[in-house]
């Protein structure tokens, strides 16, 4: 039966392989991606024309307010968007062995995508207690992931699982491998999730707010662990967060999202030194400064207005109802993402 599966995989791969030029340094390139949720109350444009790229050995930070589409973008790349959501347009180009595949055209439950998911692209989900199965031990869940993608025995897979738990800093891994998720602390559960994601040595790791609900000390430990693993394994990471401090600490490049769109895209130094988009500028201004706690009275700045209803279709720029630099054209026409400076892209009429 193995030759039948290989033939099927080859046929599916050839059906979605694309004759596209992709720079050797780029592992994933998302082009003009649209993922919508079609509900009885209306259409939610969760990912609305996003273009990003994940480079070899680099960390891409994706930042924005809650509900801006960061997690849906990650699920779209993983082909895990469930009904009533679906990707309706765009490309997700992925370097798979010697071919370039368009993941957006793959069957989400097909053999090729299931092989890529976990082995080529792995994901750490936001809440490990929900993501881990409570009725199976940590070891059983990691072993299952290993056996699916690697042709090794259950005994070898268990030994590998113990090594991965040790790699991510879980003490006494020979004992912990038999623990259930509820027996581990939040930080240990997150480490177990990282061990599971790394068990098949993926090329790309997507981390969806991996430090959510953890205390500050554990957050720092998890971030240090991810940096150590990224260097050790030479993998690329897509780091989803709403914390600008995490972006400054972890990322090489940054994509700023607002209402399902990328409004600014550059390296982290340019983003913090010379933010171009009014939304990015407002985000940076809203960070509490040390002066507020050093005896100098300084009011914390906020972004005026509220995020529009997700079902609302905004004419013109999506940020126009909150932007301090609004112009007439902002309410009539949507700007395109342009290279305002070398290597610095923004979606704003101020630079059009």
């Amino acid at each position: 039966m193995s030759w039948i599966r290989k033939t099927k995989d080859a046929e599916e791969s050839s059906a979605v392989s694309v004759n596209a030029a992709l720079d050797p340094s780029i592992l994933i390139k998302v082009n003009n991606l649209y993922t919508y949720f079609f509900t009885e109350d209306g259409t939610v444009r969760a990912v609305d024309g996003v273009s990003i790229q994940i480079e070899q050995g680099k960390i891409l930070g994706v930042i924005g307010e809650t509900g801006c589409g960061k997690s849906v973008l990650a699920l779209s790349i993983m082909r895990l968007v469930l009904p009533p959501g679906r990707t309706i347009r765009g490309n997700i180009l992925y370097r798979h062995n010697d071919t370039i595949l368009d993941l957006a055209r793959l069957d989400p439950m097909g053999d090729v995508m299931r092989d890529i998911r976990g082995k080529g692209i792995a994901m750490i989900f936001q809440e490990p207690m929900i993501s881990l199965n409570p009725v199976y031990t940590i070891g059983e869940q990691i072993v299952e992931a290993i056996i699916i993608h690697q042709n090794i025995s259950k005994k070898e897979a268990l030994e590998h699982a113990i090594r991965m738990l040790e790699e991510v800093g879980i003490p006494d891994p020979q004992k912990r491998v038999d623990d259930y998720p509820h027996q581990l602390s939040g930080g240990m559960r997150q480490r177990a999730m990282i061990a599971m994601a790394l068990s098949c040595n993926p090329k790309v790791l997507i981390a969806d707010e991996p430090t959510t609900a953890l205390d500050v000390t554990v957050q720092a430990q998890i971030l240090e662990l991810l940096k150590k693993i990224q260097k050790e394994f030479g993998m690329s990471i897509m780091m989803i967060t709403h914390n600008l401090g995490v972006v400054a600490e972890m990322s090489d490049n940054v994509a700023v999202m607002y209402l399902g769109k990328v409004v600014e895209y550059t390296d982290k130094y340019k983003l913090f030194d010379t933010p171009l988009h009014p939304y990015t500028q407002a985000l940076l201004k809203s960070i509490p400064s040390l002066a507020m706690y050093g005896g100098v009275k300084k009011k914390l700045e906020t972004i005026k207005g509220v995020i529009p209803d997700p079902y609302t279709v905004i004419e013109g720029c999506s940020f126009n109802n909150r932007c301090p630099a609004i112009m007439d054209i902002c309410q009539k026409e949507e700007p395109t993402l342009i290279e305002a400076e070398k290597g610095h892209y923004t979606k704003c009429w101020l630079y059009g």
Side-chain angles (χ1 to χ4, degrees):
M1 293 297 291
S2 61
W3 69 270
I4 295 176
R5 176 171 179 176
K6 286 179 182 177
T7 303
K8 185 178 178 183
D9 288 357
E11 288 175 351
E12 189 177 359
S13 295
S14 62
V16 294
S17 62
V18 292
N19 186 20
L22 194 61
D23 190 289
S25 65
I26 298 172
L27 293 178
I28 296 177
K29 187 171 185 177
V30 177
N31 287 327
N32 211 27
L33 190 71
Y34 293 80
T35 299
Y36 288 179
F37 287 80
F38 301 93
T39 72
E40 293 180 356
D41 297 322
T43 300
V44 177
R45 294 160 174 80
V47 175
D48 201 15
V50 166
S51 296
I52 60 165
Q53 59 187 34
I54 301 174
E55 298 177 37
Q56 174 70 50
K58 296 288 185 71
I59 299 178
L60 171 68
V62 180
I63 191 165
E65 294 173 84
T66 300
C68 72
K70 306 184 299 294
S71 295
V72 178
L73 172 60
L75 293 174
S76 299
I77 294 173
M78 295 290 290
R79 305 291 282 127
L80 289 174
V81 175
L82 299 176
R86 70 175 186 267
T87 297
I88 60 171
R89 198 165 70 217
N91 309 105
I92 307 167
L93 302 182
Y94 169 68
R95 188 179 301 282
H96 182 58
N97 301 325
D98 297 326
T99 60
I100 307 299
L101 299 184
D102 185 358
L103 302 186
R105 292 163 58 190
L106 278 174
D107 176 4
M109 298 308 296
D111 290 335
V112 176
M113 191 62 229
R114 291 178 69 171
D115 184 57
I116 292 171
R117 190 188 300 127
K119 187 176 180 182
I121 310 170
M123 185 167 176
I124 305 168
F125 293 92
Q126 195 170 135
E127 179 44 67
M129 196 58 196
I130 296 173
S131 305
L132 293 169
N133 194 320
V135 300
Y136 292 100
T137 66
I138 295 298
E140 288 171 330
Q141 295 181 64
I142 299 175
V143 165
E144 182 186 20
I146 295 169
I147 290 177
I148 287 173
H149 295 292
Q150 299 183 39
N151 186 26
I152 60 176
S153 67
K154 189 172 182 180
K155 181 183 177 181
E156 290 173 317
L158 181 59
E159 291 172 353
H160 185 46
I162 292 171
R163 284 197 301 271
M164 292 311 303
L165 290 177
E166 186 177 13
E167 183 73 35
V168 299
I170 291 183
D172 198 5
Q174 290 86 356
K175 178 177 178 294
R176 290 296 188 180
V177 77
D178 294 321
D179 284 353
Y180 289 87
H182 73 272
Q183 294 176 284
L184 302 178
S185 66
M188 288 296 107
R189 284 196 294 268
Q190 194 61 281
R191 288 173 186 267
M193 281 288 294
I194 295 171
M196 190 185 303
L198 297 177
S199 61
C200 295
N201 195 21
K203 291 189 277 186
V204 180
L205 179 66
I206 299 176
D208 186 3
E209 303 202 28
T211 58
T212 298
L214 301 176
D215 63 56
V216 176
T217 304
V218 179
Q219 283 184 27
Q221 292 172 356
I222 294 297
L223 293 177
E224 282 300 316
L225 173 62
L226 287 173
K227 285 174 69 176
K228 168 183 168 287
I229 286 170
Q230 189 256 343
K231 291 179 180 177
E232 187 175 326
F233 287 78
M235 68 174 62
S236 304
I237 296 179
M238 176 177 165
M239 174 71 69
I240 296 171
T241 182
H242 58 262
N243 189 328
L244 284 161
V246 172
V247 168
E249 174 70 19
M250 295 287 294
S251 303
D252 296 297
N253 301 310
V254 187
V256 181
M257 289 188 68
Y258 183 78
L259 284 186
K261 306 174 191 293
V262 171
V263 296
E264 190 157 354
Y265 189 94
T266 186
D267 66 69
K268 70 175 179 183
Y269 300 106
K270 289 178 181 175
L271 186 89
F272 284 94
D273 290 342
T274 55
L276 298 181
H277 197 280
Y279 175 63
T280 310
Q281 294 170 359
L283 276 181
L284 292 171
K285 288 178 182 177
S286 66
I287 301 174
S289 68
L290 291 175
M292 298 175 66
Y293 307 102
V296 179
K297 291 185 178 180
K298 185 180 178 183
K299 186 178 179 181
L300 179 64
E301 295 197 38
T302 59
I303 303 174
K304 73 170 189 175
V306 295
I307 300 174
D309 185 280
Y311 300 106
T312 303
V313 179
I314 299 174
E315 189 174 354
C317 174
S318 57
F319 191 59
N320 63 29
N321 68 323
R322 307 175 74 186
C323 183
I326 186 171
M327 302 178 289
D328 287 341
I329 194 172
C330 302
Q331 297 175 304
K332 300 172 183 176
E333 296 181 40
E334 182 182 353
T336 56
L337 192 69
I338 64 164
E339 189 173 20
E341 300 172 354
K342 185 173 177 57
H344 198 158
Y345 299 84
T346 188
K347 195 181 184 76
C348 181
W349 283 117
L350 288 172
Y351 310 94

